[in-house]
Amino acid sequence: VDHYRVSPKKAALGTLYLTATHVIFVENSPDTRKETWILHSQISTIEKQATTATGCPLLIRCKNFQIIQLIIPQERDCHDVYISLIRLARPVKYEELYCFSFNPMLDKEEREQGWVLIDLSEEYKRMGLPNHHWQLSDVNRDYRVCDSYPTELYVPKSATAHIIVGSSKFRSRRRFPVLSYYYKDNHASICRSSQPLSGFSARCLEDEQMLQAIRKANPGSDFVYVVDTRPKLNAMANRAAGKGYENEDNYSNIKFQFIGIENIHVMRNSLQKMLEVCELKSPSMSDFLWGLENSGWLRHIKAIMDAGIFIAKAVSEEGASVLVHCSDGWDRTAQVCSVASLLLDPHYRTLKGFMVLIEKDWISFGHKFNHRYGNLDGDPKEISPVIDQFIECVWQLMEQFPCAFEFNERFLIHIQHHIYSCQFGNFLCNSQKERRELKIQERTYSLWAHLWKNRADYLNPLFRADHSQTQGTLHLPTAPCNFMYKFWSGMYNRFEKGMQPRQSVTDYLMAVKEETQQLEEELEALEERLEKIQKVQLNCTKVKSKQSEPSKHSGFSTSDNSIANTPQDYSGNMKSFPSRSPSQGDEDSALILTQDNLKSSDPDLSANSDQESGVEDLSCRSPSGGEHAPSEDSGKDRDSDEAVFLTA
Amino acid sequence: MEFAELIKTPRVDNVVLHRPFYPAVEGTLCLTGHHLILSSRQDNTEELWLLHSNIDAIDKRFVGSLGTIIIKCKDFRIIQLDIPGMEECLNIASSIEALSTLDSITLMYPFFYRPMFEVIEDGWHSFLPEQEFELYSSATSEWRLSYVNKEFAVCPSYPPIVTVPRSIDDEALRKVATFRHGGRFPVLSYYHKKNGMVIMRSGQPLTGTNGRRCKEDEKLINATLRAGKRGYIIDTRSLNVAQQARAKGGGFEQEAHYPQWRRIHKSIERYHILQESLIKLVEACNDQTHNMDRWLSKLEASNWLTHIKEILTAACLAAQCIDREGASILIHGTEGTDSTLQVTSLAQIILEPRSRTIRGFEALIEREWLQAGHPFQQRCAQSAYCNTKQKWEAPVFLLFLDCVWQILRQFPCSFEFNENFLIMLFEHAYASQFGTFLGNNESERCKLKLQQKTMSLWSWVNQPGELSKFTNPLFEANNLVIWPSVAPQSLPLWEGIFLRWNRSSKYLDEAYEEMVNIIEYNKELQAKVNILRRQLAELETENGMQESP
C-alpha cells in the first residue's frame, strides 16, 4: 500500500492508498476519518495538471460521473501515482477485473442461485412462447451461425434452418432477424437484426423469406415495419461498403422507415460536451443551457424515445410487427427495442422485469459491454454511452409516469454504476459466447441477485400493482414535446449532493409506508389483545412489559423527522464560489461501494466504511429540531462566506 | 350600469370552445359585466367562466362568416371560440376588449363579487402589523412600532404602521424619509430570533452627484448594529447602475459616511427586461413546432431562469449574512418596491420556518408585498401576451413565486403549502374576485375602501375546505435554516405554471393523489392504533385496580 499525503480541493487533508482494486482516500480529520473509495474500473481519465506551490494536482474523472482532484505534495509521488493509476485503470486481462477478486461472502449455492434469478427461458414463456407461430430455434447451437447472438433464439415457425442461415449470410455479422418481444394481445412482435448486405442492388431470397415469415407469424397484419434507426445519410453511405438497408421493392409487404439516431461516435462526443458543462466551475444559467443545447444530448435522448414510441405504437395500435436494425444491431437496436418493450409491457417496469429486459435486449443479444464501457484497455473509439442513454430514457419516462415503475431513480443509478464497476460478472465481455468461455457464472457473482436482495432500497413508493398507470401501454403524446425531456442532474451531477433536492420524497414516502406496515401489524396485535382482555377479564399487569411497542413506534417517527431535517450545506450552492468540491461526492460513492464492501472479505474495511455509508448520512440528519448544521458543514460555510464577500 | 353599453351582444348560440386537452364544446356564449361564460346546453357541467380581467389579449380571425376569437389569458392559457356570424363575432370581440381593459378600479369584479361562502375569519384583519410585531417584541426591546406614516404623509407607499429602531424618534424618521427614494426610510423587515440580527429595507439614498448625506439616516441604520459589529448593505443594482442613479438624484451609501457598513452589489433586473423575459418564455413554451435544440435555445434566450438564479443568489447571500456571518443587513435597490422585496421575502423563507407555513407565508405576502407597497396594480396589469408596451408591467411577484417553488422543490417536506398554493396566488395577483391585490399600496387601498367594499383573498383561502387543497401532505415542521442550491442544474423550469396548459398533468396528478393516499392511510392507522392503545391502557389499569384490593 502506497502512502501519500494528499489534499483534495476542499480543505480535506488525508492519506491516499492504492490497492489492487481501489483508490482510497482517508481524511485525517480525526472525528470523521471519512473515506472515499474509487474502483479502478470506474476511472475514466486521469489528468496531471501543472504543479503549484501546494503540490501536484491530479484530476480523476470517473465513469459514474464522479470527479476528484488530488493534490499530492511531492511531484515524484504524484508521477508514481499517475503511472500506477494509468496502468490500474486499464487492465488488459479479464482476470484483473474486480469481479474476479470480489467476494461477497456467499457460498457456492447462493452464487448459483444468484445467476438463475433472471431466467430468459422463463421470460419467453411469460410472453406466451413458444406458440404456433414462433418456436425456439437451435440453429445457433454452439454459436455456429452468429457468435454474438445467444444460443436460445425465437424465430417464426416457417423460418427453416435453410432460411435462417441464408438470411444470416446476408446480414452484418450474421445477425439475422430474431424475436425480441412478442405482444401477446395481438400477436405482433418486435424483431431485431443487423443491416442487410444489400449494397446498391444485392438481394437475398432467404432474407426476403425471413421477413415474409415474420409477417406471417402475425396474422393480424398484412405488412411488417422495417425500422432502420440510423439517419438516412448514414445508411446510404453504408451501401457503398456493401451494406445498407432493405429495398421496399425486393421485400413484399414491408414498410420501410428511417429514424435518425446518431452513431456511437456522435453520442460519445455529445456526452463529453454535456459533462464539460456539468464540470464548469460556476456556470451562469446561460452557460449551462447553452452548453446543454450545444451538446445535443437531450436531442439524442428524444430521438431514441421517438423511435421507441413509434415502434410501441406500431405494435399496440396498428398491430403490425416491426423489424428493427441499425448497423450491427447491437447499440441503437438494443436501445430502441428495450424502450419500446418498456412502453408496451408493464412487466418490464417492475424491478425483476427491468433486470430481465436488460438481460434480454442487452446482455444476451451481444451488446458489446466490454468495448462500449472500456472494461479492458481497448480502442477508445469503441467507447460510447449507449446503455447510459437507455437508462436515461427510463428516467425520463419515470418523470412523466411517476406511478408506473416499481423501481426508483436509485435503482437506475446503481445499475449504471455497476455497468462500469466490473464488480459483478453480468456486464463483462462482448457476448454470451465470451462469457461462457470465461466461465463468468462460476467465477463471479450476479448483480441482479445483489440488487434483488437490497430491493427495499430500490422501490418506488408510488407504485401500486393495481394502479391505472401500471396497466398496459404507456401513452405518450405525439406532439413534439421537447420540454418533456429534462437534464438529469440526479445522474450527471449526482456526486454534487448540494445540487440535488435536499429532501427525498421517495425516501420519505418509503419511511411512511414502512411505518404504515408496522402500524398495521400493531393494530392487529392490539385488536387481538383487546379481544382477549375483554373476553377473559384477566390480570393484565404483565402486559406492561410490552412497552416496547410504543417506543418502537416513536423510533419510526423520528426517522421521518430526520428526513425533514436534512443537514444544511450552503457551500455547494452559491455558484459564485469554488463550490465543486470533490469531497462532496464522497458520501455517495461510499454509499455504493460500502454496500458492497460490507460483503467483502476484509472485515476492517466493512467496519470502517459502514460509518461512511448512507447510515452515516442518516445519523447526521438525526439531531431532530437541532438548530445548527453539523459542524463540518458550518466549517464549509465559513469558507463560502469568505468567498462571497471576496467576490462582492 | 355602464357595462350594458360595453356589451354589444350579450349572448350568442352555437359557439364552439376549444381548450387544450379537452374535447371541443358547443354551447351558448354569454357576456356579463365581469365574466365570459360558455355553457353547453346538453348538461350544466361543461361550463367556462372566465373573468374579463384575466384576459390578456385577443386575436380575431375570419373564415367566411365563421369568426374565431383566440383569447389569451394572464394565466398563460389560450382558448379559442368559434362564433358563427361575422357581426356577432366582432361585437363579442370588441366587448371583451373593452371589458378586459376597464380603466376604473372600482368597476372591477371584486367590487361586485358577493361571496357564496360564510366568512369565518375576515382576512382583512388576519395579519395586523401589531400582531406581527408581537411575535418578536418578546425577544427584543430594540424595536418599536411607529405611527409616523398614519396619514401616508411621510411615505405614500408605506403602510400607516412600521417597525423602526426604538432609539429613533418620529421626527428623525421624517428627516430620513426626505433622504430616501419615495420617502421609504429604512424599516424592519425581519428579525432573526436566533442571533438578533435583522433585515431592513428602504429606498435608495438620495445622495445625488454631490454626495449629500443625512446624519439621521446614518444614525438610524447604525442604531441597529451591536457594539463593534458591522453590517452589510445589499444593493440590488450593479455598481454601475447605482452610480448612474446619482445623476438622477439617487445613489448609494458612501463608505465614508457609513463606515460600519459594507456594501455589496447584487444585480437583479427590473421592469421591461423582466416583462420581455416572461413574454419570450411563454412564447417558447407555446411553440410546439420547433425541435429540441430550438426549445433549449429559446429557453436560454428568454433569460427567465437567469433571473431566478440572480434573485435566489441575492436572497441566499442576505440569509447567509444574517445566519452565518451574524451581521444585520439593509437591502435596497432604487425604489425598494420590487427586487428589494424579492430578496427580503425569500431570505425569510430560507431563514424562518414560520414563513414556510401557510399562515406564515400569507403573513409574509401581506407584510413584505402588500404592506411594503409592491405596486401590484401596475406590475400585474398585463401578462405574457400583452402587445401594448407599457412601462410598469413586470412579473416581479411571479418571479418571487417561482423562486419559492424552486426552494420548495429542493425541500419538498419543509413547506406546509404545495405548488397549487403558489399557482393560486399567481392567478389572484393577476385577476381575482377578491380585493387583496388591488391597488399599488396601502394608501390607495384605503382610499378605495377595499376592506369595506371587497372581500379579502385570505377570507376565502383560510377556510378549512379550501386549505386542504393547498396543504402539502409531506410537510414536517423543519426548524432549520434551509439553504437552497442556486446552481443552474438545480433550477429547472416551473412546469406547473409555464407548461400547465401545454401538457397533460394527468399522470402527475395521479402521483400526487397516490402520495396523499399513502400519507392519509398512515394517519388513519395511527389514529386507530392510538385509540386502541388508550382502550387497552384503560382496561389494564381497570384490571389492575380490581386486582390491587
Side-chain angles (χ1 to χ4, degrees):
Chain A
V1 178
D2 296 304
H3 193 210
Y4 296 101
R5 286 194 65 220
V6 165
S7 58
K9 213 169 169 193
K10 197 132 226 171
L13 209 72
T15 308
L16 183 76
Y17 300 89
L18 297 191
T19 74
T21 53
H22 288 87
V23 179
I24 306 164
F25 179 75
V26 184
E27 286 178 23
N28 282 351
S29 155
D31 35 304
T32 54
R33 300 286 296 165
K34 201 168 147 188
E35 293 173 18
T36 305
W37 289 58
I38 295 173
L39 264 168
H40 297 324
S41 49
Q42 285 289 3
I43 296 175
S44 166
T45 61
I46 312 156
E47 205 179 297
K48 230 172 101 182
Q49 295 170 320
T51 311
T52 63
T54 47
C56 193
L58 207 58
L59 191 70
I60 303 177
R61 290 191 182 84
C62 298
K63 296 168 182 173
N64 59 1
F65 312 117
Q66 184 171 18
I67 298 169
I68 287 249
Q69 192 186 30
L70 302 167
I71 296 166
I72 300 172
Q74 297 298 320
E75 152 91 73
R76 218 189 45 144
D77 290 344
C78 180
H79 188 71
D80 288 349
V81 172
Y82 176 72
I83 295 297
S84 309
L85 282 180
I86 287 218
R87 172 65 190 88
L88 289 166
R90 290 176 201 158
V92 289
K93 284 203 313 270
Y94 280 114
E95 282 71 14
E96 292 177 49
L97 294 175
Y98 183 39
C99 57
F100 290 100
S101 59
F102 171 66
N103 180 1
M105 314 265 241
L106 297 174
D107 58 33
K108 185 162 168 279
E109 200 185 325
E110 284 174 298
R111 192 188 63 213
E112 281 166 4
Q113 274 173 357
W115 280 111
V116 296
L117 177 76
I118 299 304
D119 180 357
L120 284 187
S121 343
E122 275 303 311
E123 169 57 14
Y124 287 111
K125 233 179 259 169
R126 190 194 65 85
M127 287 183 202
L129 301 176
N131 61 14
H132 57 280
H133 291 300
W134 293 90
Q135 66 180 7
L136 183 63
S137 163
D138 66 348
V139 69
N140 202 34
R141 189 171 8 128
D142 303 324
Y143 310 101
R144 279 185 307 196
V145 178
C146 171
D147 60 0
S148 62
Y149 266 174
T151 49
E152 202 174 285
L153 288 167
Y154 278 86
V155 293
K157 245 191 184 153
S158 57
T160 60
H162 171 75
I163 292 177
I164 294 173
V165 173
S167 165
S168 77
K169 287 178 179 155
F170 190 63
R171 295 271 167 184
S172 268
R173 319 248 177 199
R174 313 193 79 189
R175 292 170 67 92
F176 55 92
V178 293
L179 182 99
S180 162
Y181 178 69
Y182 176 74
Y183 192 61
K184 244 188 300 194
D185 299 18
N186 62 10
H187 310 295
S189 62
I190 301 175
C191 296
R192 56 185 289 173
S193 70
S194 60
Q195 64 186 336
L197 304 176
S198 52
F200 289 102
S201 59
R203 53 190 292 187
C204 166
L205 186 63
E206 290 88 351
D207 194 60
E208 289 158 27
Q209 285 170 334
M210 187 75 196
L211 264 70
Q212 194 79 336
I214 291 172
R215 182 177 66 77
K216 279 190 195 141
N218 175 15
S221 175
D222 49 14
F223 69 94
V224 175
Y225 275 112
V226 176
V227 172
D228 190 328
T229 56
R230 298 169 292 182
K232 189 171 181 184
L233 215 64
N234 300 20
M236 282 168 68
N238 262 301
R239 289 202 298 192
K243 299 164 186 172
Y245 53 93
E246 290 81 355
N247 182 342
E248 267 185 342
D249 300 337
N250 296 345
Y251 293 83
S252 53
N253 305 314
I254 66 162
K255 287 191 184 176
F256 187 84
Q257 181 86 32
F258 281 115
I259 294 181
I261 302 174
E262 299 290 349
N263 64 27
I264 56 166
H265 311 295
V266 174
M267 300 307 191
R268 179 178 57 244
N269 292 333
S270 172
L271 178 67
Q272 184 55 40
K273 280 187 190 161
M274 185 175 73
L275 292 179
E276 279 164 20
V277 176
C278 296
E279 228 184 292
L280 289 176
K281 280 289 178 272
S282 45
S284 71
M285 189 54 85
S286 295
D287 291 342
F288 174 71
L289 289 174
W290 189 85
L292 187 61
E293 178 204 334
N294 189 248
S295 77
W297 182 258
L298 287 175
R299 173 162 45 92
H300 301 315
I301 294 294
K302 184 171 185 288
I304 296 163
M305 286 295 300
D306 284 347
I309 294 167
F310 175 85
I311 292 163
K313 276 196 173 17
V315 167
S316 69
E317 287 169 24
E318 293 184 66
S321 293
V322 185
L323 171 67
V324 185
H325 69 73
C326 44
S327 297
D328 290 320
W330 50 39
D331 293 316
R332 286 168 274 202
T333 301
Q335 290 176 329
V336 168
C337 287
S338 46
V339 167
S341 304
L342 198 73
L343 290 170
L344 285 168
D345 195 330
H347 178 64
Y348 297 129
R349 293 173 233 140
T350 64
L351 266 167
K352 228 176 197 168
F354 190 70
M355 299 177 190
V356 167
L357 185 64
I358 291 184
E359 190 72 35
K360 173 171 72 76
D361 279 333
W362 295 83
I363 298 176
S364 88
F365 279 115
H367 176 64
K368 302 200 294 174
F369 282 93
N370 176 34
H371 285 166
R372 294 293 173 263
Y373 313 116
N375 297 343
L376 295 185
D377 194 20
D379 181 359
K381 284 213 160 68
E382 282 282 332
I383 290 175
S384 186
V386 182
I387 200 166
D388 301 63
Q389 289 184 316
F390 165 64
I391 290 173
E392 175 164 341
C393 286
V394 180
W395 177 79
Q396 299 281 1
L397 280 171
M398 278 162 63
E399 285 288 289
Q400 291 174 52
F401 298 92
C403 305
F405 293 83
E406 191 189 11
F407 46 85
N408 58 29
E409 182 183 9
R410 196 179 301 138
F411 185 60
L412 298 179
I413 289 173
H414 284 194
I415 290 177
Q416 193 272 352
H417 174 92
H418 284 297
I419 283 167
Y420 291 92
S421 76
C422 299
Q423 185 170 349
F424 297 93
N426 304 61
F427 305 116
L428 250 45
C429 306
N430 292 321
S431 67
Q432 195 183 67
K433 181 168 178 252
E434 286 181 32
R435 276 188 295 274
R436 294 225 169 133
E437 283 164 1
L438 258 181
K439 298 199 184 351
I440 291 290
Q441 299 208 354
E442 287 146 57
R443 300 164 71 192
T444 74
Y445 294 85
S446 167
L447 170 68
W448 304 137
H450 171 75
L451 294 176
W452 184 248
K453 203 164 126 198
N454 299 309
R455 60 187 174 279
D457 293 342
Y458 302 124
L459 290 175
N460 170 14
L462 296 174
F463 177 84
R464 193 156 42 81
D466 55 350
H467 194 280
S468 62
Q469 278 183 41
T470 63
Q471 318 299 317
T473 308
L474 292 183
H475 293 286
L476 285 150
T478 29
C481 296
N482 300 298
F483 48 70
M484 291 192 323
Y485 299 97
K486 294 174 285 192
F487 173 72
W488 187 8
S489 92
M491 176 62 97
Y492 305 106
N493 282 115
R494 78 188 168 99
F495 287 92
E496 312 252 353
K497 276 288 169 59
M499 284 185 194
Q500 311 307 327
R502 294 313 188 79
Q503 295 173 322
S504 155
V505 175
T506 299
D507 290 346
Y508 180 86
L509 289 177
M510 281 318 287
V512 170
K513 278 187 117 172
E514 202 183 312
E515 192 195 60
T516 299
Q517 208 186 336
Q518 308 273 1
L519 283 170
E520 275 172 344
E521 284 163 19
E522 194 187 342
L523 191 68
E524 207 174 306
L526 282 173
E527 275 169 349
E528 224 168 78
R529 271 167 56 199
L530 210 57
E531 213 173 301
K532 235 187 240 169
I533 291 169
Q534 280 163 341
K535 260 187 204 160
V536 199
Q537 288 275 324
L538 261 177
N539 173 1
C540 287
T541 38
K542 269 185 198 163
V543 187
K544 283 256 165 181
S545 65
K546 276 251 173 177
Q547 273 294 342
S548 64
E549 260 156 342
S551 69
K552 188 170 72 181
H553 184 74
S554 65
F556 298 132
S557 48
T558 47
S559 87
D560 283 359
N561 212 356
S562 65
I563 286 160
N565 287 337
T566 315
Q568 313 310 323
D569 171 12
Y570 189 37
S571 57
N573 310 326
M574 294 284 285
K575 292 303 289 178
S576 41
F577 343 114
S579 64
R580 196 166 286 260
S581 101
S583 62
Q584 267 187 354
D586 300 349
E587 291 164 52
D588 201 334
S589 76
L591 172 74
I592 292 167
L593 292 170
T594 52
Q595 276 179 355
D596 307 320
N597 285 326
L598 281 175
K599 282 155 224 97
S600 79
S601 54
D602 191 341
D604 281 337
L605 283 184
S606 43
N608 271 339
S609 40
D610 192 17
Q611 295 179 322
E612 294 298 317
S613 71
V615 184
E616 183 232 31
D617 240 4
L618 282 174
S619 69
C620 52
R621 282 182 194 137
S622 62
S624 43
E627 275 276 271
H628 296 273
S631 56
E632 183 202 358
D633 282 327
S634 45
K636 280 182 194 165
D637 279 325
R638 213 170 312 119
D639 287 357
S640 58
D641 273 358
E642 278 159 22
V644 182
F645 301 124
L646 282 176
T647 50
Chain B
M1 189 69 242
E2 302 94 321
F3 293 126
E5 295 159 24
L6 299 175
I7 303 169
K8 291 177 183 155
T9 303
R11 188 192 147 112
V12 190
D13 287 328
N14 302 99
V15 173
V16 181
L17 165 72
H18 302 271
R19 280 177 294 184
F21 302 107
Y22 283 97
V25 182
E26 196 192 315
T28 304
L29 180 73
C30 298
L31 290 187
T32 72
H34 296 104
H35 284 96
L36 179 153
I37 304 160
L38 188 118
S39 79
S40 63
R41 278 151 299 163
Q42 291 87 352
D43 50 67
N44 295 326
T45 51
E46 283 287 359
E47 276 199 350
L48 171 81
W49 283 69
L50 189 69
L51 265 178
H52 293 316
S53 55
N54 191 3
I55 296 172
D56 204 26
I58 63 168
D59 288 342
K60 321 180 265 281
R61 259 190 255 136
F62 292 96
V63 180
S65 67
L66 180 76
T68 294
I69 299 179
I70 294 166
I71 298 178
K72 299 175 177 176
C73 302
K74 289 178 187 165
D75 60 13
F76 313 137
R77 178 172 29 164
I78 296 178
I79 58 175
Q80 184 186 325
L81 296 169
D82 295 341
I83 299 171
M86 170 112 57
E87 200 191 325
E88 278 87 352
C89 186
L90 283 171
N91 283 346
I92 294 284
S94 65
S95 306
I96 295 175
E97 227 155 329
L99 290 164
S100 60
T101 51
L102 294 175
D103 284 331
S104 165
I105 294 183
T106 52
L107 289 179
M108 305 280 276
Y109 187 50
F111 288 91
F112 299 83
Y113 170 70
R114 292 290 161 264
M116 302 292 281
F117 59 90
E118 198 194 336
V119 177
I120 305 163
E121 180 195 339
D122 185 354
W124 289 120
H125 306 300
S126 291
F127 308 101
L128 298 176
E130 291 91 342
Q131 288 167 3
E132 293 292 311
F133 180 68
E134 267 168 35
L135 290 174
Y136 44 80
S137 59
S138 58
T140 174
S141 57
E142 292 161 22
W143 297 86
R144 68 177 181 99
L145 289 178
S146 165
Y147 299 83
V148 68
N149 198 38
K150 206 161 56 187
E151 311 294 334
F152 305 106
V154 178
C155 170
S157 63
Y158 269 174
I161 309 172
V162 290
T163 310
V164 294
R166 182 170 295 279
S167 58
I168 305 297
D169 61 23
D170 284 356
E171 204 37 55
L173 293 177
R174 284 195 189 91
K175 281 197 184 130
V176 176
T178 62
F179 181 65
R180 290 278 172 178
H181 192 114
R184 294 174 69 91
F185 53 88
V187 294
L188 181 76
S189 160
Y190 171 66
Y191 179 84
H192 197 48
K193 275 190 188 161
K194 192 166 114 187
N195 59 11
M197 295 301 127
V198 296
I199 301 177
M200 287 177 294
R201 53 176 157 76
S202 69
Q204 65 178 341
L206 303 175
T207 57
T209 40
N210 47 12
R212 219 180 116 209
R213 65 186 285 193
C214 171
K215 283 269 162 54
E216 287 80 5
D217 188 76
E218 293 157 24
K219 197 178 156 214
L220 192 163
I221 71 163
N222 287 339
T224 65
L225 293 178
R226 302 267 162 85
K229 278 283 205 174
R230 278 157 59 102
Y232 290 89
I233 294 171
I234 297 179
D235 193 323
T236 61
R237 305 164 293 180
S238 67
L239 179 60
N240 219 353
V241 173
Q243 276 166 343
Q244 283 163 10
R246 286 192 297 199
K248 292 182 209 149
F252 53 87
E253 293 82 357
Q254 300 288 334
E255 283 86 352
H257 303 155
Y258 298 85
Q260 287 167 277
W261 295 82
R262 221 170 136 175
R263 214 178 55 247
I264 302 170
H265 291 273
K266 276 277 162 191
S267 166
I268 296 175
E269 290 294 353
R270 306 186 315 146
Y271 299 144
H272 68 280
I273 292 180
L274 299 181
Q275 189 68 11
E276 274 160 28
S277 171
L278 177 68
I279 291 170
K280 279 188 194 161
L281 175 67
V282 171
E283 199 267 321
C285 292
N286 286 336
D287 183 353
Q288 306 271 322
T289 58
H290 50 63
N291 59 26
M292 177 61 77
D293 291 354
R294 190 94 183 280
W295 154 246
L296 287 172
S297 93
K298 282 182 139 187
L299 179 63
E300 192 258 308
S302 79
N303 271 328
W304 182 265
L305 291 170
T306 301
H307 301 313
I308 295 288
K309 184 164 147 59
E310 274 168 5
I311 296 164
L312 267 176
T313 305
C316 288
L317 177 72
Q320 228 177 8
C321 291
I322 296 278
D323 190 67
R324 294 294 154 119
E325 197 73 3
S328 286
I329 50 174
L330 168 69
I331 303 177
H332 68 74
T334 305
E335 294 91 346
T337 54
D338 294 283
S339 54
T340 303
L341 304 182
Q342 289 172 329
V343 175
T344 60
S345 51
L346 286 167
Q348 292 180 52
I349 298 270
I350 293 166
L351 291 168
E352 197 200 21
R354 178 171 169 257
S355 62
R356 294 171 228 144
T357 64
I358 291 180
R359 292 253 354 162
F361 191 69
E362 290 171 357
L364 182 79
I365 287 178
E366 189 71 35
R367 220 170 50 228
E368 291 300 301
W369 291 87
L370 294 163
Q371 303 264 336
H374 175 66
F376 276 98
Q377 193 77 40
Q378 290 178 344
R379 297 289 179 265
C380 302
Q382 297 268 264
S383 173
Y385 301 117
C386 76
N387 17 36
T388 52
K389 281 227 172 100
Q390 289 192 0
K391 216 172 149 191
W392 303 113
E393 281 94 25
V396 177
F397 188 61
L398 176 58
L399 278 162
F400 159 70
L401 293 175
D402 194 334
C403 289
V404 176
W405 177 81
Q406 301 285 353
I407 307 177
L408 169 64
R409 199 191 73 90
Q410 294 183 30
F411 293 89
C413 308
S414 297
F415 287 80
E416 194 190 5
F417 50 86
N418 59 20
E419 179 181 4
N420 293 334
F421 189 62
L422 300 174
I423 295 173
M424 179 275 292
L425 288 171
F426 158 68
E427 289 177 336
H428 283 281
Y430 280 84
S432 177
Q433 66 268 45
F434 302 106
T436 299
F437 292 108
L438 292 182
N440 290 310
N441 49 52
E442 282 302 287
S443 154
E444 286 187 26
R445 282 180 205 111
C446 261
K447 279 182 207 126
L448 289 166
K449 295 198 172 57
L450 290 182
Q451 294 206 10
Q452 292 82 43
K453 294 186 171 170
T454 73
M455 178 67 55
S456 161
L457 173 65
W458 312 130
S459 305
W460 170 72
V461 171
N462 288 335
Q463 304 173 93
E466 296 302 323
L467 274 183
S468 65
K469 287 183 233 162
F470 303 127
T471 307
N472 177 10
L474 300 170
F475 177 61
E476 296 244 331
N478 176 359
N479 288 318
L480 296 168
V481 175
I482 54 174
W483 299 107
S485 162
V486 295
Q489 289 95 320
S490 312
L491 303 174
L493 178 70
W494 186 7
E495 296 180 25
I497 280 274
F498 296 108
L499 302 176
R500 189 176 169 195
W501 313 105
N502 302 326
R503 56 135 165 82
S504 162
S505 62
K506 180 170 175 267
Y507 303 114
L508 301 178
D509 294 345
E510 282 174 1
Y512 184 82
E513 214 172 284
E514 193 63 26
M515 195 167 81
V516 172
N517 289 342
I518 289 170
I519 290 162
E520 288 297 312
Y521 179 56
N522 176 278
K523 282 186 183 153
E524 214 175 280
L525 280 178
Q526 193 105 53
K528 271 190 198 162
V529 164
N530 284 341
I531 290 171
L532 285 187
R533 273 194 201 144
R534 218 173 302 133
Q535 277 183 4
L536 205 63
E538 275 166 22
L539 277 174
E540 278 166 6
T541 45
E542 244 170 61
N543 286 339
M545 269 151 61
Q546 282 168 1
E547 199 66 9
S548 54

